[in-house]
Amino acid sequence: MAKISARVNGLSESVTLAIDAKAKAMMAEGIDVVNFAAGEPDFDTPSQVKEAAKKALDEGKTKYVASGGLPALKDAIVEKLQKDNGLTYKPGQVLVSVGAKHSLFNVIMTIVDRGDEVIIPAPFWVSYYDMVKAAEGTPVIVETTAEANFKMTPEQLEAAITPKTVAVFINSPSNPTGAVYSEAELRALADVIVRKNILCISDEIYEKLVYGDTKHFSIASAGDEIFARTLVVNGFSKAFSMTGWRLGYTAGPADILSAMNKLQSHSTSNATSFAQFGGIVALKDTAEDVEKMRKAFDERRQYLVGALNQLPDVKCNMPDGAFYAFPDFSAYHGKSFNGEVLKGSMELAKYILTEGKTSIVPGVAFGAEKHQRFSYATSQELLKKGVERIGEALANLK
């Protein structure tokens, strides 16, 4: 039997794999499955972005480029961060990577040593936990509640910090909850981070997808001291519907970014060259496209949350950002179908897929057993169909 490293053996299998595999098998058999699991927009990539990549291909721009990214793309990112977020960086403080997920992985592998602690507010995006474990660090989970709109308080953060703490994740807008921290809330967290002299990993991939009166605020803009301790991670997948392009970036302190670039030079080298030309256009010439998608998500958000709250014993906060709803389905834990007891979120998600022909993601994947994650990055028609199916499936439980 082949030897597998303890590092990889220690990682968790994604708890969503069984759901995903089952859903794909059902669809391959011709079964009509409504997919609320996909974390990607159902819109096409803006045409001008695609044209820029095609032009780069036609011009033979298919060779290696600098490991840290095309200078023109780094310049566009610097301009974007100044214009949108009030953050002033030099190109040497920016690293372009193979998606925001790769950016986050680079951050963790660069700043975390064996035994170091990283604070992760729960519910959390599924990969944070195992990225820290892959670096042989220790994830420290801070539980939040629906009543607090899934936001960590400064008091909770301070209580979780120990002499081994090196960083904390802040994800606003959040996957999976859609929660968005206000400027005042982020300034209060920043005060703790600065006082305790730890790093902040600010995952801002959904920043352009906020609704109503909600405004996105980057914690790095809360003052010089927090700016010097923050690694801002963003990318192109969500706001620009470029999930398959695999293009993301980090901005932060020059010494950390230089070390991340060194690591990346030994792993992926540069992100795909012609995709980067598309990224330049995405940052400079897609405002109308992004706003069109945001408005559509807003309409879907309001419909889906209203429909979920009409289901018996289901409770769902109204998300302020991203494109996810995170309802509490725990009233159905312990109920049964054909003698099989649904003990938790995983069993309930499997049941809804099998009997309701609708795919959702169990909350256990995000450190929140009571909940299920719904993506509303799909059509209103499918939202309606899926919720109706789920209601019928729930009615059959005893």
Side-chain angles (χ1 to χ4, degrees):
M1 181 178 176
K3 178 185 180 297
I4 306 297
S5 71
R7 181 181 304 104
V8 174
N9 267 334
L11 302 182
S12 304
E13 281 277 358
S14 170
V15 297
T16 63
L17 283 180
I19 292 283
D20 185 59
K22 177 68 173 175
K24 288 177 179 175
M26 290 169 66
M27 288 187 278
E29 294 171 9
I31 299 172
D32 175 27
V33 175
V34 175
N35 184 7
F36 290 158
E40 64 179 349
D42 58 330
F43 297 96
D44 195 7
T45 302
S47 59
Q48 62 271 39
V49 176
K50 294 192 291 184
E51 289 303 320
K54 290 177 188 176
K55 184 172 183 288
L57 283 167
D58 290 340
E59 293 177 352
K61 294 174 179 175
T62 59
K63 306 298 184 182
Y64 293 132
V65 298
S67 175
L70 285 172
L73 177 55
K74 294 173 76 170
D75 287 343
I77 291 168
V78 166
E79 181 181 333
K80 177 262 178 239
L81 290 167
Q82 178 66 63
K83 177 184 173 184
D84 292 354
N85 310 110
L87 300 173
T88 302
Y89 293 102
K90 296 177 180 178
Q93 293 176 275
V94 173
L95 179 69
V96 177
S97 302
V98 189
K101 179 185 283 189
H102 183 215
S103 299
L104 289 164
F105 191 82
N106 279 339
V107 168
I108 292 298
M109 295 304 291
T110 300
I111 68 171
V112 176
D113 278 321
R114 178 180 297 172
D116 285 345
E117 295 178 353
V118 178
I119 296 169
I120 306 174
F124 49 80
W125 179 57
V126 293
S127 292
Y128 294 156
Y129 190 93
D130 282 292
M131 284 180 180
V132 174
K133 288 183 67 178
E136 301 183 74
T138 301
V140 175
I141 305 304
V142 173
E143 301 285 349
T144 68
T145 64
E147 292 71 26
N149 205 17
F150 303 110
K151 297 180 190 179
M152 176 176 63
T153 66
E155 294 76 17
Q156 286 180 301
L157 173 58
E158 184 150 8
I161 294 173
T162 76
K164 293 183 178 180
T165 305
V166 295
V168 58
F169 276 101
I170 301 293
N171 179 207
S172 177
S174 163
N175 175 5
T177 68
V180 181
Y181 286 89
S182 69
E183 178 178 343
E185 289 166 338
L186 287 170
R187 287 186 180 277
L189 292 172
D191 287 345
V192 177
I193 292 166
V194 169
R195 184 156 39 82
K196 293 295 187 178
N197 195 26
I198 63 173
L199 293 171
C200 175
I201 305 164
S202 184
D203 181 351
E204 303 181 14
I205 188 70
Y206 294 96
E207 69 159 324
K208 293 189 178 295
L209 302 178
V210 293
Y211 312 108
D213 296 329
T214 302
K215 304 293 183 186
H216 172 264
F217 180 80
S218 175
I219 192 171
S221 66
D224 291 344
E225 290 184 293
I226 187 64
F227 176 81
R229 292 169 173 80
T230 302
L231 292 142
V232 175
V233 175
N234 210 322
F236 297 80
S237 293
K238 311 301 182 178
F240 306 108
S241 194
M242 294 172 65
T243 50
W245 293 62
R246 308 317 303 131
L247 202 58
Y249 58 90
T250 309
D255 54 347
I256 298 178
L257 268 292
S258 176
M260 288 171 59
N261 192 17
K262 180 168 65 174
L263 173 67
Q264 183 164 299
S265 74
H266 291 295
S267 55
T268 61
S269 299
N270 61 272
T272 301
S273 57
F274 47 88
Q276 294 189 53
F277 286 97
I280 295 168
V281 173
L283 290 175
K284 292 178 174 290
D285 189 30
T286 58
E288 290 184 8
D289 302 89
V290 172
E291 179 60 11
K292 179 181 176 182
M293 288 187 273
R294 191 198 67 80
K295 285 182 176 179
F297 290 141
D298 190 9
E299 291 175 4
R300 297 170 185 182
R301 168 186 76 116
Q302 295 179 60
Y303 171 78
L304 177 61
V305 173
L308 288 170
N309 279 318
Q310 291 298 312
L311 294 174
D313 300 316
V314 172
K315 295 174 288 184
C316 186
N317 287 13
M318 180 65 77
D320 291 319
F323 42 62
Y324 306 107
F326 203 56
D328 182 338
F329 272 77
S330 60
Y332 293 91
H333 295 180
K335 295 198 174 187
S336 62
F337 180 75
N338 288 342
E340 182 178 347
V341 178
L342 308 179
K343 297 177 182 178
S345 63
M346 189 68 175
E347 291 82 0
L348 182 59
K350 287 180 180 178
Y351 167 75
I352 287 172
L353 175 59
T354 303
E355 299 300 323
K357 307 296 186 293
T358 303
S359 179
I360 56 179
V361 185
V364 66
F366 310 100
E369 175 64 22
K370 293 165 64 175
H371 297 262
Q372 300 284 343
R373 193 193 76 174
F374 286 64
S375 167
Y376 49 87
T378 190
S379 71
Q380 195 103 334
E381 177 187 356
L382 289 174
L383 292 174
K384 185 174 185 294
K385 181 193 286 188
V387 173
E388 287 176 352
R389 289 180 176 184
I390 290 171
E392 291 168 2
L394 295 177
N396 292 326
L397 294 174
K398 301 189 184 301

